[in-house]
């Protein structure tokens, strides 16, 4: 029996927890190979960490599951035609199309989410609309074989959903126990509806400088898609 192939494509300014969290879970699945790749196999820096020894996306023949992480680099990645061509090629032959955080914007820019429900980071989920996607505010959203996680830490919940899909709930729960994943955050401020007005305003202010550029990139990428 051939191995189930999962590919995680990286790009500059990706958010490393978007993929390292899911990778920690998915790498423990039986008969599964997780390949982390980049354009040309070049090193990728994310929040001060550099990820090396990456596979070259163009040399990966196919995958069974494409898992696209998000990050501030999403803005440029959506408009990088060489990168997006590889996303379309690999995603077009995959059984499962998945993402974490703003990685769903990349799936949308590739034309995979038109008419599909998808999750995204709370601050950017409305940018799915120009692509014809249906915004889902769930922590993990599923529409057929499209499984998307919301903001950064939702990648772990997303990964356990995928693990249950591929290896059964008992195995997924065994991984959860092995990793002692029993979240009990010290603050109830992980979603905008839970955070205090002061915290929410501060975070929105911090994100504001890049908002216009990301909106423009989403609209430009959406305009490149062929008509429905």
């Amino acid at each position: 029996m051939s191995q189930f192939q999962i590919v995680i494509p990286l790009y500059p300014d990706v958010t490393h927890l978007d993929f390292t969290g899911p990778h920690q879970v998915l790498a423990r699945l039986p008969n599964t190979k997780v390949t982390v790749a980049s354009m040309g196999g070049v090193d990728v820096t994310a929040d001060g960490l550099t990820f090396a020894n990456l596979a070259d996306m163009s040399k990966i023949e196919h995958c069974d599951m494409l898992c696209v992480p998000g990050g501030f680099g999403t803005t440029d990645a959506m408009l990088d035609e060489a990168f997006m061509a590889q996303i379309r090629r690999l995603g077009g032959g995959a059984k499962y199309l998945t993402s974490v955080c703003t990685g769903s914007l990349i799936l949308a820019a590739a034309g995979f989410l038109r008419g599909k429900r998808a999750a995204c980071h709370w601050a950017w989920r409305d940018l799915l609309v120009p692509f014809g996607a249906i915004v889902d505010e769930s922590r993990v959203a599923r529409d057929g074989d499209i499984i998307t996680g919301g903001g950064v830490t939702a990648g772990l919940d997303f990964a356990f959903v995928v693990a249950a899909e591929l290896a059964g709930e008992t195995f997924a729960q065994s991984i959860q126990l092995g990793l002692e994943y029993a979240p009990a955050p010290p603050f109830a401020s992980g979603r905008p509806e839970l955070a205090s007005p002061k915290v929410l305003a501060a975070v929105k202010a911090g994100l504001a400088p890049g908002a216009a550029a990301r909106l423009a990139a989403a609209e430009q990428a959406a305009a490149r898609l062929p008509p429905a």
Side-chain angles (χ1 to χ4, degrees), residues 103-126:
S104 58
L105 296 178
I106 291 175
L107 287 183
F112 293 132
L113 298 186
R114 183 177 282 145
K116 303 293 185 179
R117 289 187 300 107
C120 187
H121 187 284
W122 63 266
W124 311 110
R125 60 171 71 116
D126 288 346

Side-chain angles (χ1 to χ4, degrees), residues 4 9 11 23 25 27 39 46 52 58 82 87 90 97 114 123-125 146 148 155 175 177 200 206 210 216 219 224:
F4 188 85
Y11 50 88
H23 186 285
V25 175
M39 292 296 290
S58 67
I87 293 293
L90 290 167
L97 291 170
R114 183 177 282 145
W124 311 110
R125 60 171 71 116
I146 297 174
T148 52
I175 299 176
L177 177 58
L200 180 59
E219 292 177 340
R224 293 179 179 181

Side-chain angles (χ1 to χ4, degrees), residues 39 76-86 88 109 221 224:
M39 292 296 290
D76 291 331
M78 286 189 292
L79 300 179
D80 184 337
E81 277 303 308
F83 176 78
M84 292 304 301
Q86 295 303 321
R88 293 187 185 97
R224 293 179 179 181

